[in-house]
Amino acid sequence: MGERKVAVVTGSNKGIGFGIVRALCQKFHGDVFLTSRDERRGRDAVHELEKEGLSPKFHQLDVTDKKSIYIIKNFLEKTYGGLDILVNNAGIMIPFHTKEEGNKVIETNYVSVVNISEALFPLLRPNARVVNVSSRLGNFTAFNMKDETKMKFANQNLTVKELTSLVWEYYNLFDCPNFNPKLYIGQFAYGVSKLGLNRLTSILQRNVSADQRQILINSCCPGYVDTDMSDHKGSLTVDQGADTPVYLALLPADEKSIAGKMVCERVVVKWDERNLQPNPQIKSMVPSMKSLS
Ligand code: NDP
């Protein structure tokens, strides 16, 4: 059992997760695990970063598969004896048309983070950082809710189990009043899953704040990023999209206030605040890898 520090990034064979692994390899003093549900895609991605002179490690992880979660848990426990950074980045947004297909969005973006937290949180070492890569569409979904529903989500005493019930209940209603009815159900599911993730973040922070580990858990929106998910329409590169998740993953030991928060491109926002304005500073904070090459 070693004391070497270790970071794990889910869904990091491409897109923002890949950018997060790249930046952590450059900035974090410890081993960085690029994980992927598909071993070949993951190993190819590791190889890409090795060509840049970086040394990420690889582990398979399908976030929707509990067995896969427990395999990486056992591996981390045996090899490192703990975990220092966990970035829950894996996510899907596919224009599903049926409710059943939309369920997959909630399962991947929300339920898997509940399962991963249950499995991996006991491993978190003092000063560990957890980042849930969410979306400002979660805030937008909350902003559009009826007041009585919002009050249920706002309850400070909610347990994770109660929140999960609320997420499914709300998703099954599909009655968000100001939501564009022409939206695909999958897009609605995406907003609900990210709203759930934002609330989950605050509950998980409350739960760990009771112990002495000084763990900080935050969710964030990376901005509109040029990836497969955005059909490459996003204006930020994956390195710029990685900026906020990495900033939160490396919050210093004396940071106290950014805890259980939702952070849109380095700016703390309320979970039900309508915040669709990108932070123009992000582009200047992180030079694009493309513009460097
Ligand atoms: P991509 O589609 O480019 O990448 C998503 C990653 O998640 C891929 O590596 C994918 O793997 C992985 N993934 C999907 N399902 C699973 C699973 N079951 N187990 C493990 N990995 C899985 O998306 P982005 O990089 O754009 O998105 C990353 C995160 O950022 C998501 O949570 C997304 O919601 C969020 N986000 C993105 C925005 C954007 O503008 N792009 C804006 C706001 C939030 P595979 O290759 O196998 O499919």
Side-chain angles (χ1 to χ4, degrees):
M1 190 183 285
E3 278 300 302
R4 190 164 168 75
K5 287 194 167 192
V6 59
V8 170
V9 184
T10 71
S12 46
N13 53 290
K14 67 177 184 179
I16 298 164
F18 183 78
I20 295 171
V21 169
R22 178 190 271 139
L24 285 178
C25 284
Q26 291 162 342
K27 296 177 181 170
F28 171 65
H29 300 292
D31 290 343
V32 182
F33 276 83
L34 183 155
T35 69
S36 170
R37 57 180 158 179
D38 180 87
E39 173 139 9
R40 191 187 52 77
R41 285 200 287 275
R43 292 208 182 271
D44 285 351
V46 164
H47 192 55
E48 281 300 302
L49 291 174
E50 283 171 349
K51 285 197 263 178
E52 295 175 14
L54 303 172
S55 308
K57 294 185 175 291
F58 175 75
H59 203 287
Q60 193 275 344
L61 176 60
D62 180 339
V63 298
T64 57
D65 177 2
K66 277 194 177 176
K67 194 171 154 214
S68 169
I69 295 173
Y70 276 88
I71 288 173
I72 196 170
K73 180 212 165 163
N74 292 337
F75 165 79
L76 290 167
E77 196 163 24
K78 220 167 120 193
T79 315
Y80 294 91
L83 177 60
D84 300 283
I85 294 177
L86 169 63
V87 183
N88 290 304
N89 164 81
I92 56 171
M93 178 169 71
I94 306 170
F96 292 121
H97 293 271
T98 69
K99 204 93 185 246
E100 290 68 32
E101 288 173 318
N103 288 348
K104 285 189 196 157
V105 175
I106 308 265
E107 294 279 358
T108 306
N109 298 358
Y110 171 80
V111 178
S112 69
V113 181
V114 171
N115 293 335
I116 287 175
S117 307
E118 248 173 54
L120 299 189
F121 271 31
L123 294 184
L124 293 178
R125 278 197 268 250
N127 283 310
R129 303 287 179 253
V130 178
V131 183
N132 295 327
V133 181
S134 183
S135 165
R136 45 168 51 88
L137 287 179
N139 304 56
F140 191 52
T141 304
F143 174 82
N144 278 330
M145 270 177 170
K146 289 176 186 163
D147 283 347
E148 57 183 283
T149 317
K150 201 190 286 186
M151 269 171 60
K152 290 187 195 168
F153 278 97
N155 179 355
Q156 296 290 327
N157 300 316
L158 272 186
T159 62
V160 172
K161 209 171 160 193
E162 286 164 346
L163 174 65
T164 301
S165 303
L166 269 182
V167 165
W168 284 117
E169 200 182 297
Y170 183 60
Y171 166 62
N172 285 323
L173 283 175
F174 192 30
D175 72 343
C176 196
N178 300 326
F179 229 83
N180 180 347
K182 288 192 183 138
L183 280 179
Y184 296 114
I185 188 129
Q187 288 172 305
F188 176 70
Y190 183 82
V192 176
S193 72
K194 297 300 193 181
L195 153 75
L197 192 54
N198 294 345
R199 297 312 291 146
L200 178 68
T201 301
S202 105
I203 296 175
L204 293 174
Q205 179 68 60
R206 187 192 72 207
N207 293 349
V208 298
S209 293
D211 65 39
Q212 301 300 310
R213 289 184 287 171
Q214 310 289 338
I215 295 165
L216 299 180
I217 306 167
N218 292 288
S219 63
C220 66
C221 180
Y224 194 32
V225 185
D226 175 355
T227 65
D228 287 349
M229 183 180 283
S230 68
D231 283 333
H232 298 278
K233 289 182 186 137
S235 57
L236 301 177
T237 65
V238 294
D239 301 300
Q240 290 165 337
D243 176 78
T244 301
V246 171
Y247 158 72
L248 294 172
L250 298 177
L251 283 173
D254 59 358
E255 176 60 51
K256 300 257 184 291
S257 61
I258 309 179
K261 301 282 196 256
M262 167 59 175
V263 181
C264 284
E265 293 162 85
R266 289 205 187 202
V267 179
V268 175
V269 298
K270 290 204 195 106
W271 70 280
D272 58 348
E273 185 179 324
R274 186 173 185 275
N275 178 305
L276 297 175
Q277 289 308 313
N279 179 353
Q281 284 181 317
I282 292 290
K283 281 200 173 187
S284 54
M285 278 172 193
V286 192
S288 149
M289 283 309 253
K290 278 182 195 158
S291 70
L292 286 176
S293 58

